[in-house]
Amino acid sequence: MDFQNKPQFPLLLVFVFLLSVSPSVLAQYSPRYACDTDKNPSLKSYAFCNASLDFKTRVNDLVKRMSLQEKAGSLVSVADSINRLGIPSYGWWSEALHGVSDTGPATWFNKTIIPGATSYPQVILTAASFNESLFNILGKVISTEARAMYNTGVSGLTFWSPNVNIFRDPRWGRGQETPGEDPLLSSRFGVAFVKGLQEREDGDKDRLKIGACCKHYTAYDLDNWTSVDRFHFNAIVTKQDLEDTYNPPFKSCVLDGNVASIMCSFNQVNGIPTCGDRELLEETVRGEWKLNGYISSDCDSLQVMFKDQHWAKTPEEVTADALQAGLDLNCGDSLKKFTENAVKEGLVKESVVDRAVTNNFATLMRLGFFDGHPSKQMYGNLGKKDVCTKDNQDLARETARQGIVLLKNSLGSLPLLPTYIKSLAVIGPNANATKAMIGNYAGIPCKYTTPLEALSESVQTVYEAGCANVLCNSTDKFEKAKNVAAAADAVVLVMGTDLTVEAEALDRTEIDLPGEQNLLISEVAYVARGPVILVIMSGGGMDVSFSKCNPKVTSILWVGFPGQEGGAAMADVIFGRYNPSGRLPMTWYPRSYTKTVPMNDMNMRPDPTTGHPGRSYRFYRGETVYPFGYGLSYSLYIHRLIKAPKLVSIPLNKAHGCSSSSCTSFDASGDICDGLSLDIDVMVTNIGKMGGSHTILLFSYPPQVIYNSPTKQLLDFKRVQLGPWERTSISFKIDVCKQLSVVDKDGNRKVGLGRHVLQIGDIQHSVSLKI
Ligand SMILES: *[C@@H]1O[C@H](CO)[C@@H](O)[C@H](O)[C@H]1NC(C)=O
Ligand SMILES: *[C@@H]1O[C@H](CO)[C@@H](O)[C@H](O)[C@H]1NC(C)=O
Ligand SMILES: *[C@@H]1O[C@H](CO)[C@@H](O)[C@H](O)[C@H]1NC(C)=O
Ligand SMILES: *[C@@H]1O[C@H](CO)[C@@H](O)[C@H](O)[C@H]1NC(C)=O
Ligand SMILES: *[C@@H]1O[C@H](CO)[C@@H](O)[C@H](O)[C@H]1NC(C)=O
Ligand SMILES: *[C@@H]1O[C@H](CO)[C@@H](O)[C@H](O)[C@H]1NC(C)=O
């Protein structure tokens, strides 16, 4: 989203008396809710207000009654009111990435009405839990708070979350908002979260609890890097990368999550702005994937197309291109300003405008916006009492606990035992963090539990910030920090970043800890008498090799931006009240990575001719600081393969164009795929003394028969809870065509014949696919 163009809300109502054809009582009327027939019984005569008719009939009736000017006013993020039809102004832009947020102008907090909402961990940490039911529960709880705010009049019904862009480069300031670098995890997160937000408890699939939006479509993951910014960035993307990396989360959002909206991004893809690309929008999102909902622009992509990208000579031409490409809604006001003239100049047909208006209003109908006062509807009883409940806040703590990743743990370090540790030095610029814990796209949290506050509940603490802030550009306070460290039984250092280092519109140039943080860590560790626990609070990965190799730093934890209860969750892990179980959802690269590949190089695949080392665990083969999927526990889990085929026969014949021994792969979309799957059963045993949750990641190393295949890819994952010495068997059903396939140069999915090596935890097993 672009804050420069943040529209004011609510806008002054625009009265259009001249066009008024309805009873005069309506012309004087400023409705709060559409079709509020209690206040205005004459609205009953409109078919669009008749809840017993189907949505299509109702929307058609409404669009038929509208003038071109009214239609144009309905295509923007602060949609005009149409008083003569009893329709209020509607603010489309709300946000709920990890809790209801006031980043969008259609949502606000107010001390007397609703002062704040539960602020969950930033998505990157939630993703680290690899817990799909948690992703779904979070969506449900957040949509309940959202609907409560809507009922109270302080929020809209359409939320432009989640962000499912691939965290392609460690420098990206918005990587924190995403589920990480893997297309499968991102897709699973997107689907589960979207369903949680949208699905109603009565199972009515036509209606929505709130509307979600998967953004930013597509290949958008650069905010500003040296002289390139997102408004001018032309992402050069191969068909192969688009199909197997950038687009899968969006495709899943639509096909499996039934998301109500897709947002196109600011950037261009291969020379065409995404919001003006008919192939990307109309043909793919609406045509192939069959989006049931609306396509929105970013804020304001159309202005960016005109002013920054010089896409067309006039704003009317930009408007026509975007509408024809499939855009329905414009965050900003360009479509309101230029649509009428674009139609009059013959650049776009009014029927195209009708399609856009129809998609927007159909979504609002599914949300109950045209069903009168919210108190008469499902979820109508939700209000202030349902926001920031104890249960919802407890879930913030639980989510952070499930995501926190233990990266290093020398024998006898963690968990700290209060019997031995009587005094704790708590040091670092994030040691008493509040706002830093909630990252971007946050709202106002119900409250904060800082690391210092939470740790102080278990043990006596002494606090020294060590640095004035995360930039840590001075060593002035190091002496004080060292003094408290030397006197304590153990040390917790809470370091990392905040939004001054990585954020929207702020990419990093380096991936080290900022300023003198490394020096503070090593000096404090040097004087410490007991365990030294380094906690990294950050969105992106960090080169922490210095501390990884330093034997005096006995443990390292990554806590992401852990949300309002982040401190409590950290203390739970540090004192062993929770057994860490998170896994890194992104590769942690060494600092040299940023020197070897420019951030605006979108290629996922390595290129020996340019020295590009490849991106993400699927393609990068170089050294890592910590790899994707890494994470330790206080327990030990062992895996045993119970069942897995060694050979799978594929019944290919001449009709498939692949039946001889010279054939190395087959099409992953044909009839051959029906029911073609393999079953894998694994026994997992917790052989530690502590109960905990454990994630089994199932990877495959596909045969290298398709040009530039990933060396490794995640096929599936499951998280299980096991008490001490408890064991359980876990079953995976692998769809051969969907999961074992890879994408070829032309963007088509193919299954390679030959040896697929599966990796399940620490087990490797080969399966041969043969004709
Ligand atoms: C609403 O539509 C139903 C079904 O067509 C019809 O029977 C009913 O009379 C309509 N109600 C009003 C108030 O027009
Ligand atoms: C908050 O809402 C109350 C009740 O509507 C209103 O009186 C007050 O002015 C609002 N405060 C702010 C800061 O907007
Ligand atoms: C990105 O923009 C921020 C301000 O928004 C600026 O401080 C920073 O220097 C920019 N970074 C780069 C790499 O251009
Ligand atoms: C820690 O932060 C909390 C919340 O901002 C504040 O009330 C408290 O005074 C801080 N503690 C110290 C020791 O600075
Ligand atoms: C360190 O940063 C602070 C602001 O965070 C600034 O006021 C100060 O000038 C900086 N000092 C140096 C030596 O860069
Ligand atoms: C997944 O999250 C839910 C919700 O917090 C929790 O009840 C469940 O135990 C978690 N599953 C595992 C295996 O940790």
Side-chain angles (χ1 to χ4, degrees):
M1 242 49 60
D2 175 17
F3 300 108
Q4 307 161 39
N5 300 313
K6 188 162 169 167
Q8 295 303 308
F9 187 89
L11 276 194
L12 291 176
L13 302 177
V14 183
F15 290 87
V16 194
F17 291 107
L18 286 179
L19 293 161
S20 181
V21 291
S22 334
S24 61
V25 59
L26 282 179
Q28 313 297 331
Y29 164 65
S30 308
R32 174 111 183 266
Y33 301 103
C35 300
D36 196 348
T37 49
D38 293 344
K39 280 238 169 70
N40 252 293
S42 55
L43 292 170
K44 281 188 188 149
S45 62
Y46 294 124
F48 71 80
C49 287
N50 186 338
S52 60
L53 299 172
D54 61 276
F55 292 137
K56 200 167 166 217
T57 308
R58 294 175 69 187
V59 177
N60 288 346
D61 174 65
L62 173 58
V63 174
K64 214 174 55 199
R65 293 172 193 273
M66 293 169 70
S67 68
L68 179 56
Q69 193 184 13
E70 286 167 343
K71 288 173 189 170
S74 306
L75 301 177
V76 288
S77 44
V78 182
D80 284 346
S81 59
I82 311 172
N83 295 307
R84 68 182 188 89
L85 298 175
I87 299 171
S89 170
Y90 177 75
W92 282 88
W93 181 4
S94 291
E95 303 274 353
L97 182 67
H98 52 111
V100 180
S101 161
D102 54 357
T103 314
T107 304
W108 62 92
F109 295 105
N110 170 318
K111 281 214 166 67
T112 51
I113 304 175
I114 292 188
T118 316
S119 197
Y120 293 94
Q122 185 54 288
V123 174
I124 191 77
L125 186 74
T126 298
S129 74
F130 282 83
N131 184 343
E132 278 183 87
S133 42
L134 176 63
F135 305 158
N136 184 251
I137 291 166
L138 283 169
K140 283 186 181 160
V141 170
I142 292 170
S143 57
T144 296
E145 293 201 352
R147 195 89 204 187
M149 289 186 66
Y150 170 72
N151 291 345
T152 318
V154 292
S155 148
L157 289 165
T158 42
F159 290 79
W160 292 345
S161 310
N163 178 345
V164 293
N165 288 120
I166 294 294
F167 195 172
R168 165 190 64 97
D169 189 290
R171 286 162 281 196
W172 191 30
R174 302 186 73 177
Q176 57 177 294
E177 297 171 31
T178 75
E181 73 183 23
D182 181 63
L184 179 91
L185 176 61
S186 299
S187 297
R188 294 274 178 89
F189 174 84
V191 171
F193 188 69
V194 163
K195 286 182 161 194
L197 291 179
Q198 292 193 161
E199 286 183 351
R200 291 166 38 123
E201 277 143 51
D202 62 1
D204 184 339
K205 297 274 180 204
D206 286 339
R207 290 178 182 268
L208 300 165
K209 185 176 177 191
I210 65 167
C213 171
C214 289
K215 67 190 186 187
H216 315 77
Y217 181 70
T218 186
Y220 164 86
D221 46 33
L222 176 150
D223 270 50
N224 70 334
W225 177 76
T226 63
S227 58
V228 191
D229 68 46
R230 55 186 173 164
F231 309 120
H232 300 88
F233 181 42
N234 177 18
I236 304 297
V237 183
T238 65
K239 281 186 178 158
Q240 202 173 19
D241 285 339
L242 195 65
E243 196 56 36
D244 80 355
T245 299
Y246 297 112
N247 279 357
F250 295 97
K251 187 174 181 176
S252 302
C253 271
V254 177
L255 282 175
D256 305 325
N258 288 313
V259 75
S261 174
I262 291 286
M263 177 185 286
C264 46
S265 51
F266 285 123
N267 57 290
Q268 303 192 339
V269 172
N270 300 330
I272 305 177
T274 59
C275 292
D277 191 329
R278 195 177 157 82
E279 192 180 325
L280 282 179
L281 306 186
E282 191 64 39
E283 287 167 26
T284 306
V285 175
R286 204 160 357 249
E288 203 185 308
W289 303 344
K290 307 208 168 13
L291 173 75
N292 179 15
Y294 66 100
I295 299 177
S296 176
S297 77
D298 207 330
C299 315
D300 174 343
S301 300
L302 297 198
Q303 200 180 328
V304 166
M305 276 166 77
F306 182 65
K307 289 205 174 133
D308 300 301
Q309 303 181 348
H310 309 293
W311 174 247
K313 282 196 228 53
T314 65
E316 286 79 8
E317 281 175 35
V318 166
T319 293
D321 282 359
L323 286 168
Q324 258 146 9
L327 193 76
D328 302 310
L329 190 83
N330 163 218
C331 181
D333 59 5
S334 300
L335 285 185
K336 177 169 151 178
K337 291 202 314 228
F338 305 115
T339 297
E340 250 188 294
N341 280 343
V343 172
K344 286 183 180 148
E345 289 169 24
L347 298 168
V348 61
K349 291 203 188 95
E350 187 162 349
S351 60
V352 175
V353 178
D354 288 350
R355 179 223 64 214
V357 180
T358 300
N359 286 332
N360 297 340
F361 281 136
T363 307
L364 290 183
M365 277 189 189
R366 296 172 68 203
L367 286 158
F369 185 74
F370 285 91
D371 296 344
H373 199 280
S375 65
K376 296 195 300 190
Q377 302 175 33
M378 190 172 178
Y379 299 112
N381 59 346
L382 295 175
K384 185 176 185 173
K385 64 178 191 322
D386 302 290
V387 181
C388 286
T389 62
K390 181 173 184 302
D391 282 356
N392 293 3
Q393 295 193 63
D394 286 349
L395 183 64
R397 180 177 186 164
E398 173 63 15
T399 305
R401 303 200 305 182
Q402 290 195 31
I404 289 173
V405 184
L406 178 64
L407 294 169
K408 172 180 179 180
N409 198 17
S410 312
L411 204 65
S413 177
L414 284 178
L416 298 182
L417 302 174
T419 7
Y420 301 113
I421 307 296
K422 302 284 181 209
S423 65
L424 187 65
V426 184
I427 295 169
N430 277 335
N432 197 30
T434 52
K435 227 170 155 30
M437 293 197 297
I438 60 179
N440 62 358
Y441 283 82
I444 297 175
C446 322
K447 69 171 183 15
Y448 292 107
T449 305
T450 78
L452 177 63
E453 285 165 0
L455 292 166
S456 305
E457 277 179 20
S458 299
V459 67
Q460 196 174 350
T461 56
V462 201
Y463 164 66
E464 275 299 332
C467 316
N469 53 44
V470 291
L471 300 179
C472 198
N473 63 2
S474 154
T475 55
D476 291 354
K477 299 178 181 207
F478 283 19
E479 273 319 302
K480 277 187 175 163
K482 282 154 70 177
N483 290 341
V484 299
D489 293 337
V491 178
V492 173
L493 280 151
V494 192
M495 311 300 285
T497 68
D498 60 21
L499 298 184
T500 63
V501 176
E502 45 177 340
E504 178 160 22
L506 183 59
D507 294 333
R508 289 184 288 167
T509 47
E510 312 290 334
I511 53 174
D512 296 293
L513 287 171
E516 303 294 339
Q517 287 196 29
N518 275 327
L519 190 63
L520 177 64
I521 296 165
S522 41
E523 291 199 355
V524 163
Y526 186 75
V527 299
R529 295 183 308 181
V532 176
I533 319 306
L534 172 61
V535 177
I536 305 294
M537 192 179 284
S538 73
M542 293 286 162
D543 184 340
V544 290
S545 335
F546 276 144
S547 303
K548 185 183 175 186
C549 302
N550 182 347
K552 297 251 358 182
V553 177
T554 53
S555 299
I556 305 178
L557 287 167
W558 175 66
V559 301
F561 291 131
Q564 66 165 61
E565 300 305 320
M570 267 174 56
D572 288 340
V573 169
I574 287 172
F575 287 104
R577 295 186 293 260
Y578 191 85
N579 191 348
S581 54
R583 304 296 193 91
L584 291 181
M586 75 298 207
T587 306
W588 284 30
Y589 300 94
R591 59 173 62 76
S592 60
Y593 189 81
T594 59
K595 306 287 180 295
T596 56
V597 54
M599 193 178 170
N600 59 345
D601 183 328
M602 295 299 282
N603 289 304
M604 294 300 294
R605 274 94 177 151
D607 183 350
T609 64
T610 61
H612 180 343
R615 297 182 176 282
S616 87
Y617 78 91
R618 291 158 64 227
F619 301 103
Y620 173 72
R621 293 275 67 82
E623 291 283 306
T624 61
V625 177
Y626 290 108
F628 173 87
Y630 189 76
L632 306 169
S633 160
Y634 297 151
S635 280
L636 205 57
Y637 301 89
I638 54 168
H639 309 98
R640 188 164 55 82
L641 200 59
I642 306 175
K643 183 173 126 188
K646 288 204 166 80
L647 183 81
V648 176
S649 297
I650 315 289
L652 290 162
N653 57 43
K654 284 212 180 73
H656 300 109
C658 176
S659 58
S660 74
S661 58
S662 63
C663 178
T664 55
S665 68
F666 64 96
D667 217 29
S669 57
D671 60 331
I672 198 89
C673 292
D674 297 343
L676 202 59
S677 64
L678 40 111
D679 294 310
I680 293 151
D681 291 354
V682 203
M683 182 64 77
V684 188
T685 311
N686 177 357
I687 59 164
K689 279 190 228 136
M690 202 169 171
S693 287
H694 175 64
T695 296
I696 293 103
L697 301 174
L698 172 53
F699 293 98
S700 84
Y701 295 81
Q704 294 295 310
V705 295
I706 304 291
Y707 174 75
N708 260 342
S709 289
T711 33
K712 184 181 180 184
Q713 61 183 356
L714 188 64
L715 304 185
D716 203 352
F717 55 86
K718 288 216 163 101
R719 182 177 163 114
V720 289
Q721 206 157 8
L722 289 171
W725 287 104
E726 198 182 339
R727 60 180 202 170
T728 188
S729 82
I730 297 173
S731 302
F732 293 99
K733 191 168 200 75
I734 302 301
D735 182 308
V736 169
C737 291
K738 278 202 184 121
Q739 285 157 286
L740 290 183
S741 57
V742 294
V743 171
D744 71 8
K745 243 176 130 170
D746 302 317
N748 300 315
R749 283 208 164 262
K750 295 268 157 78
V751 185
L753 292 168
R755 197 162 77 115
H756 293 247
V757 179
L758 304 181
Q759 187 186 316
I760 312 132
D762 49 2
I763 304 170
Q764 288 210 340
H765 172 81
S766 290
V767 184
S768 255
L769 299 193
K770 286 219 170 101
I771 301 180

